[in-house]
């Protein structure tokens, strides 16, 4: 076994790359490790540099979409799905999974783990056959027909609604007709589109129109929508009928030209619309879970 002086001379003779590779491989005695660390410090290199430049063996098992257990420094164990490796290559992006909760409600937390903190990775392929990974709509890729349809609906909802109300408001039942069209666009977009994520709020997954879990529920969604439209028509008609009989302060305009009645009218309609969106998504969520139980790890999805 070489003495410390020989080790020191040997390490000094190595290039930075050779030294970093040696440090990444590990397996030293305590004395040799001290000498190596001393030489690394002299060159302003660290163990983290070694791990960034030379991928550990466990990294070969890590692909985007892989699910498994990461063992970190300090003994921490994290069950997560791999999202990707950042451009610098020193940090792994994952979605942390709670084994007792995520498979029930699908909520996952994003986390970036420095590579030097990861000791090992154990793939868990059996998790892919369970919810939410067995969700047939889990693929977030957007087909051209779906993109065109949702974009058109969104533009009609955001840009076309105001001209529609201005055009129909003066006609008999015009407000109700414009509201039904706008309400329907709102329901279709926010029931099926992927919304939220990041700082804007919870990440809401998409539901695809041709998904095998969604298609059987379309008739039920249509009947529910007709029921909500009837409720919308009744609420609006009743409010417009009683408006002339309300105290004057209900119809007093503020600086923006709005009235208290207008605000109450909008809030009631929006509350009804959002209630339908939430119940629609709850129905489709249950349908996906039931489908996943019947056809585990089925990768089929529509637009």
């Amino acid at each position: 076994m070489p003495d410390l002086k020989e080790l020191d001379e040997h390490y000094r003779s190595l290039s930075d790359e050779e030294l970093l590779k040696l440090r990444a491989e590990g397996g030293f005695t305590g004395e040799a490790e001290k000498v190596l660390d001393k030489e690394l410090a002299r060159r302003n290199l660290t163990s983290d540099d070694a791990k960034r430049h030379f991928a550990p063996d466990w990294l070969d098992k890590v692909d985007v979409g892989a699910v498994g257990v990461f063992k970190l420094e300090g003994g921490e164990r994290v069950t997560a799905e791999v999202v990707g490796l950042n451009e610098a290559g020193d940090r792994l992006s994952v979605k942390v999974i709670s084994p007792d909760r995520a498979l029930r409600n699908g909520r996952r937390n994003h986390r970036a783990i420095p590579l030097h903190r990861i000791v090992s990775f154990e793939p868990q392929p059996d998790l892919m056959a369970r919810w939410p990974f067995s969700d047939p709509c889990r693929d977030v890729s957007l087909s051209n027909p779906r993109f065109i349809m949702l974009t058109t609906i969104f533009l009609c909802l955001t840009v076309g609604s105001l001209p529609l109300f201005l055009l129909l408001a003066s006609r008999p039942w015009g407000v109700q007709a414009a509201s039904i069209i706008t309400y329907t666009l709102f329901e279709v977009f926010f029931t099926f589109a992927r919304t939220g994520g990041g700082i804007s709020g919870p990440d809401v997954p998409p539901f695809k129109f041709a998904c095998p879990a969604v298609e059987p529920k379309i008739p039920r969604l249509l009947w529910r929508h007709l029921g909500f439209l009837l409720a919308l028509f009744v609420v609006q008609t009743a409010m417009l009928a009683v408006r002339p009989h309300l105290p004057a302060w209900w119809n007093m305009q503020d600086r923006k030209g709005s009235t208290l009645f207008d605000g109450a009218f909008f809030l009631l309609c929006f509350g009804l619309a959002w209630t339908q969106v939430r119940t629609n998504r709850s129905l489709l969520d249950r349908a996906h879970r039931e489908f996943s139980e019947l056809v585990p790890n089925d990768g089929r999805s529509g637009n």
Side-chain angles (χ1 to χ4, degrees):
M1 177 179 176
D3 58 26
L4 298 183
K5 184 177 180 180
E6 291 176 344
L7 279 174
D8 183 60
E9 292 176 352
H10 172 65
Y11 293 150
R12 285 175 179 269
S13 67
L14 298 177
S15 66
D16 288 354
E17 183 177 352
E18 291 172 330
L19 205 63
L20 288 172
K21 184 175 182 179
L22 191 64
R23 187 66 184 87
E25 293 173 348
F28 308 100
T29 63
E31 294 80 3
E33 187 166 3
K34 290 180 180 179
V35 176
L36 179 58
D37 288 341
K38 180 181 177 182
E39 180 60 22
L40 288 171
R42 189 182 70 82
R43 303 189 191 189
N44 293 320
L45 301 174
T46 66
S47 298
D48 293 348
D49 292 326
K51 292 184 178 181
R52 281 194 292 266
H53 283 80
F54 297 95
D57 294 338
W58 58 261
L59 199 57
D60 294 335
K61 308 175 186 177
V62 176
D63 294 318
V64 174
V67 178
V69 178
F70 290 91
K71 183 177 180 181
L72 309 183
E73 292 177 347
E76 181 184 2
R77 296 175 66 87
V78 177
T79 302
E81 176 192 5
V82 179
V83 176
L85 195 65
N86 75 343
E87 294 181 359
D90 62 350
R91 197 171 295 268
L92 198 66
S93 298
V94 302
K95 289 180 180 178
V96 179
I97 304 166
S98 173
D100 60 342
R101 290 196 297 272
L103 298 178
R104 184 175 69 249
N105 59 30
R107 293 179 180 175
R108 301 182 296 279
N109 298 321
H110 290 265
R111 180 174 175 182
I113 305 177
L115 292 184
H116 70 267
R117 290 203 59 214
I118 302 174
V119 177
S120 64
F121 173 70
E122 302 170 10
Q124 301 289 326
D126 59 303
L127 286 178
M128 299 302 293
R130 300 166 60 188
W131 180 268
F133 306 104
S134 55
D135 184 350
C137 281
R138 190 166 178 270
D139 179 15
V140 298
S141 60
L142 194 64
S143 66
N144 289 333
R146 176 179 171 87
F147 175 77
I148 294 171
M149 178 185 293
L150 291 178
T151 301
T152 302
I153 292 173
F154 181 77
L155 291 176
C156 290
L157 176 63
T158 57
V159 179
S161 295
L162 182 58
L164 182 65
F165 275 96
L166 294 176
L167 178 65
L168 298 179
S170 60
R171 301 183 181 184
W173 312 106
V175 172
Q176 291 92 326
S179 297
I180 286 174
I181 296 172
T182 302
Y183 184 96
T184 300
L185 293 172
F186 181 93
E187 291 303 319
V188 174
F189 183 81
F190 285 100
T191 294
F192 291 95
R194 182 183 185 90
T195 58
I199 61 175
S200 63
D203 190 13
V204 180
F207 291 117
K208 299 186 176 182
F209 299 105
C211 169
V214 170
E215 282 186 314
K217 301 299 180 182
I218 295 296
R220 185 173 177 182
L221 290 175
L222 291 175
W223 280 111
R224 286 162 60 91
H225 184 61
L226 290 176
F228 274 93
L229 287 181
L230 178 61
L232 177 70
F233 181 85
V234 170
V235 168
Q236 288 188 333
T237 302
M239 290 189 69
L240 292 174
V242 302
R243 182 174 189 174
H245 307 289
L246 294 174
W249 51 269
W250 274 90
N251 296 298
M252 292 180 60
Q253 294 185 350
D254 58 19
R255 295 179 179 178
K256 297 181 179 180
S258 300
T259 66
L260 181 60
F261 179 87
D262 295 333
F265 190 85
F266 172 79
L267 287 176
L268 282 174
C269 296
F270 180 80
L272 189 67
W274 194 246
T275 299
Q276 184 182 346
V277 168
R278 294 294 300 272
T279 55
N280 284 350
R281 295 193 67 88
S282 178
L283 172 67
L284 294 179
D285 182 69
R286 290 195 303 271
H288 277 71
R289 295 171 189 271
E290 293 168 0
F291 182 88
S292 298
E293 291 174 0
L294 294 174
V295 190
N297 206 23
D298 192 314
R300 294 173 296 168
S301 62
N303 294 323

